Amino acid sequence: MFDYDAEMRFYQPQFRAACGIRPGDRVLDVGCGSGQSTRDAGRDAAPGVVLGVDLSERMLADARRRTADANVSYLHADASTYAFESYDVGISRFGVMFFAEPAAAFANLRRACRRIVLMVWQPRAENEWARAIPEALGGAFRDESPFSLGDREQTRALLMAAGFDEPTFTAVREPIYYGADVEAAYDNVRQLREPGKLLAERGQAALRKVLAEHDTGDGVLFDSAVWIVEAE
Ligand SMILES: C[S@@+](CC[C@H](N)C(=O)[O-])C[C@H]1O[C@@H](n2cnc3c(N)ncnc32)[C@H](O)[C@@H]1O
């Protein structure tokens, strides 16, 4: 399974700090995946409770396996429509860009959460990883959903239409980490859906070349950029 926690190693401390979770808070983690942000929230919120929600049973099984904290639980549900209880804070690390109907989904989250803190990708043009790897594989990626909240004005309008107050956007630029060396990074990238498909069709040498160009000796790193979006 692709190691998102390793990929996010330079972002997670900043995201956790931005979440500003306090002891006793009730927290909802949307699209929690294997739950690193859920567990961090659990430690910050204790004795408050944290619920991680995800569409993927496979990710949730991994999250449950890694979680020992009694105040953290998981739910298999579609966050865009599920009738949640009330939470002080809704957080999401790259889990809210994939909604089929974003307006309805954020209205649903607005009903559940007093405050939200989201980490989302800035547009593809700002993200070297999202240009360099498809270029190396000689194919354009068709899936633009990871960047669906990258346009600040559109995201601002979307959140305000859902009933949130004026959101704030903090630009953060950090490297993302694909692995300790070229072979580890190659194995990781191969597990991503779109690169995996292109790799099957095209040269593997080209991918190894671009990974080698980004091997810093301290990991294979690509430039990237996110927004941390906060709204009450
Ligand atoms: C890029 S992953 C991020 C996972 C995790 N937050 C992390 O940072 O490691 C996006 C996650 O959002 C989940 N997801 C997408 N749409 C969802 C929805 N409507 N309801 C719940 N989860 C959703 C996916 O199943 C996936 O696990």
Side-chain angles (χ1 to χ4, degrees):
M1 193 182 286
F2 183 82
D3 189 349
Y4 284 106
D5 297 352
E7 183 188 15
M8 288 298 121
R9 61 171 54 180
F10 300 110
Y11 280 118
Q12 179 56 20
Q14 297 185 60
F15 180 61
R16 183 176 183 172
C19 289
I21 291 164
R22 291 172 305 193
D25 277 348
R26 288 171 52 81
V27 182
L28 177 66
D29 188 357
V30 180
C32 64
S34 47
Q36 186 185 41
S37 54
T38 330
R39 287 184 291 281
D40 282 353
R43 283 161 207 145
D44 296 338
V49 293
V50 182
L51 179 69
V53 58
D54 205 285
L55 272 181
S56 162
E57 284 279 24
R58 198 168 70 103
M59 299 296 267
L60 288 172
D62 195 37
R64 289 190 176 102
R65 190 178 52 74
R66 296 180 188 210
T67 303
D69 318 65
N71 64 331
V72 175
S73 58
Y74 295 98
L75 173 72
H76 180 226
D78 183 342
S80 65
T81 53
Y82 188 82
F84 292 108
E85 295 177 358
S86 299
Y87 293 88
D88 299 301
V89 196
I91 66 172
S92 185
R93 191 180 85 175
F94 301 119
V96 288
M97 300 96 96
F98 309 99
F99 298 137
E101 295 185 38
F106 280 107
N108 192 44
L109 295 180
R110 168 67 193 91
R111 282 188 286 277
C113 305
R114 206 166 46 72
R115 180 167 78 85
I116 51 170
V117 184
L118 315 173
M119 189 155 72
V120 302
W121 294 116
Q122 288 191 30
R124 189 189 285 277
E126 299 297 326
N127 280 283
E128 184 192 31
W129 62 272
R131 298 191 316 273
I133 292 176
E135 274 165 25
L137 292 170
F141 285 8
R142 279 179 283 275
D143 182 7
E144 287 301 322
S145 58
F147 309 100
S148 68
L149 299 176
D151 182 296
R152 189 174 151 146
E153 278 318 304
Q154 280 178 17
T155 300
R156 173 183 175 278
L158 178 67
L159 293 179
M160 292 186 76
F164 290 102
D165 288 346
E166 178 87 40
T168 62
F169 290 78
T170 305
V172 184
R173 191 173 273 282
E174 292 287 352
I176 57 167
Y177 174 94
Y178 276 145
D181 54 30
V182 171
E183 281 314 304
Y186 183 86
D187 271 350
N188 242 335
V189 171
R190 205 156 58 89
Q191 294 177 60
L192 290 167
R193 191 169 44 84
E194 286 207 283
K197 214 163 63 192
L198 288 172
L199 254 185
E201 293 162 10
R202 299 172 199 269
Q204 305 178 1
L207 177 59
R208 283 207 169 82
K209 180 165 178 284
V210 76
L211 295 174
E213 286 162 5
H214 288 78
D215 188 350
T216 61
D218 211 12
V220 177
L221 305 179
F222 284 80
D223 186 30
S224 76
V226 306
W227 298 116
I228 294 180
V229 186
E230 297 181 52
E232 299 266 340

